Structures are given as C-alpha cells and as structure tokens.
Amino acid sequence: MQTFTHGASLWDVACPQRRSRVPGVTMAGFRVPDLDALRIVPHPAVTLLVEFGDGVPVISCAPGRQERGSLVAGPGLGSGGAVRAWGANVECVQVRLSPVVARSVLGASPAELDGAVVPLDDLWGRKVSRIRERLADVASWQDRFALTDALLARRYETGAPVDPEVARAWHRIVGSHGLTRVDDLAADVGWSRKRLWSRFRSQLGLPPKRAAKLVRFDHAAHRLVAGEGTAHVAADTGYADQSHLHRDVMAFTGTTPAVIAGEKFLAVDDMAWPGRGTTDASHTSPLRRTPGVEA
C-alpha cells in the first residue's frame, strides 16, 4: 500500500503484485477518505468500479443525475468536463478493461454504455452484492485482486469476443498513440471504411476516428502531467499546433492544458498503474478455470 499525496488529498493506493491473466486488464485498489469533486478525465478504457467499504462513491454525470455504488463506465467518460466523483471513506477495486475484452467480461458491448455510467447491478444483478461481500471479507489487497482476477477470467473465458479485425484496428490505434488514419486501418484489415466504422462502433463503443482522438488526447494529457511544455507536447503527439491541442483538451475536459496538468485523476496514474499506457490487450497468458468469485 502506498500513499498518494496531492495538495490536501491523501489516498491509499494498492497495486497487484501479479499481472492479470486476462489480456487487456489492469487494476488498482483505493482507500480514499475524501473524494472532493474529483474531475473525471476521459480515458480510452472501460472502467469497472467495485466498492466494498463503508463509504459509497457517487458519480455526478449530468445536472440532476447521479449514480452510486459499484459502477461501470464506457470509454471516454467525462468528455466535456461535466462528470465529477464524490464520496467519503471510499474503498474500491478499480479495473480498466481494454475495449477489446470489455464485451467478454461485462456480458454487454461497451456501445450499450454509450459513454455513460451504469450501475454494475444493471449488468450483473444480485451477484454484485456477493462480490462486494467477498472483497470486504478477505484480509488483504492482494487477495482482493486475486478474487477480482478470478471473476474476470471466468467471464472472459465464456464471453463473446470481438472480431479479430476490430481488435487489430484497436491495437494499431493504441500502438500509434492515436495517429493512425481510419483509411489505413480499413485497408490493413481488408474492410471498407463503412464496415470498419460499423463493426468497431458496435463492438467497442465508439467509432475508430473518435477512438484515435481519445487515445491521442490521453497520451498528450499524461505528458502534460509529467511536466512537459504544451508546445512540445503538441508538436510531439501529432497536433497541428499548440492551439489544436488546446481545443482538443477543452473538448474532452472543459478546461485548459495548464489545468489538466495538475489533475488528481491523471496524477495518480503513475502510482496506481506503474508503467501505465492506454489499457490494451498487449500481452497474452493462458487462462485456466480458477475457483473464485462467480458471476
């Protein structure tokens, strides 16, 4: 367990000692005394949050709309800068799912989330309560990660995979940090641009051009957090100029590159997801049926 300090914020952060057996899955554990209007910055992954402590996280998605408890969110949640997280004494396991494995794990396409936040109960029903109880009952974070990984592995084994062409296109977008052209993606997988758009959107939850913009933004935003200058980041991440980067940051977050450089949501990543990159199915590992949480 490590402590993340950002201004007056003190968070306990735990990381798994072992890589997930499911390709494209990363996770971290959080114990947060006070989530004080945390801005949710769009990220190119499906986010799964399973809370098990006394506190209840609250996501404010739109005026008058809030979701509480264990949640799942599609890629790009927070676009426009209006989404905030609240809560006190929150304990949770947060999982980032590559969009190419999310459909198998969730039992639903990320497209059904439409970039929004959905209670996990809506997808997994009463099983969520049993998962929360088991996470609360175990003694350590490493045990919680093992239970969560067993759950994800069981679901991944039996879930419906995405088309290999869609997965290949996603990996090319990630590998290029969002700088691959859609026409080149279509040619690479042997599909028309229209077919790629349709399959990609229906299976991953966003069209390929939007996915590329989100991956590029994520890469640039983390470089800003690392202290690199805006002009240098813009030139090195494929933006036409500094103004182009500014417009993209404003569109995704509702604020400026200077503000994003200090966001807690991004600053904690180096601790919670060391060696972080866009969540991707970049490794493979054999899956075995493992006793654990059933869902």
Side-chain angles (χ1 to χ4, degrees):
M1 179 71 70
Q2 306 174 79
T3 300
F4 168 71
T5 304
H6 192 283
S9 299
L10 294 174
W11 300 0
D12 290 331
V13 181
C15 302
Q17 294 173 352
R18 296 182 179 180
R19 174 184 285 179
S20 172
R21 292 177 298 117
V22 181
V25 167
T26 55
M27 64 184 82
F30 294 93
R31 183 179 294 123
V32 182
D34 185 15
L35 271 176
D36 185 15
L38 175 71
R39 185 198 309 269
I40 301 300
V41 178
H43 186 270
V46 173
T47 300
L48 181 66
L49 186 77
V50 184
E51 53 82 20
F52 56 86
D54 295 331
V56 178
V58 179
I59 303 293
S60 177
C61 314
R65 182 187 166 199
Q66 294 183 339
E67 300 290 354
R68 299 171 177 268
S70 297
L71 305 164
V72 60
L77 175 72
S79 291
V83 179
R84 297 289 191 277
W86 310 77
N89 300 316
V90 173
E91 292 183 273
C92 64
V93 173
Q94 182 178 334
V95 181
R96 287 179 174 176
L97 301 170
S98 167
V100 299
V101 303
R103 184 167 72 165
S104 297
V105 171
L106 297 178
S109 168
E112 297 178 36
L113 305 176
D114 197 26
V117 179
V118 176
L120 189 55
D121 294 34
D122 287 0
L123 296 182
W124 291 354
R126 288 177 292 180
K127 296 174 182 177
V128 177
S129 294
R130 296 200 296 272
I131 296 167
R132 293 180 60 251
E133 289 171 1
R134 293 205 60 183
L135 289 174
D137 286 343
V138 297
S140 72
W141 280 105
Q142 296 308 315
D143 289 339
R144 293 182 185 115
F145 294 138
L147 284 169
T148 304
D149 200 44
L151 161 67
L152 301 180
R154 290 171 65 89
R155 297 187 64 90
Y156 177 70
E157 280 190 286
T158 58
V162 302
D163 292 335
E165 294 87 353
V166 170
R168 179 177 175 86
W170 170 259
H171 296 326
R172 282 203 59 185
I173 289 172
V174 171
S176 70
H177 296 304
L179 299 183
T180 301
R181 292 168 52 87
V182 177
D183 287 341
D184 293 337
L185 293 174
D188 182 55
V189 302
W191 284 356
S192 68
R193 183 186 177 102
K194 181 177 180 181
R195 185 180 187 188
L196 175 64
W197 190 98
S198 176
R199 295 288 184 90
F200 198 103
R201 168 69 178 84
S202 66
Q203 295 181 24
L204 302 192
L206 67 176
K209 186 174 181 178
R210 177 69 174 176
K213 289 186 66 173
L214 180 57
V215 168
R216 180 176 63 175
F217 159 77
D218 179 69
H219 181 56
H222 280 88
R223 292 181 63 166
L224 291 171
V225 172
E228 297 185 40
T230 305
H232 176 71
V233 171
D236 207 39
T237 55
Y239 289 93
D241 51 30
Q242 189 170 338
S243 295
H244 184 196
L245 172 60
H246 184 101
R247 290 194 301 272
D248 224 27
V249 171
M250 182 65 70
F252 275 114
T253 68
T255 189
T256 65
V259 173
I260 284 300
E263 285 290 343
K264 287 182 285 186
F265 184 92
L266 298 172
V268 74
D269 271 18
D270 280 344
M271 181 178 292
W273 285 274
R276 62 133 249 121
T278 301
T279 300
D280 188 22
S282 57
H283 74 275
T284 57
S285 54
L287 287 178
R288 300 178 299 275
R289 290 196 176 276
T290 306
V293 181
E294 295 186 359

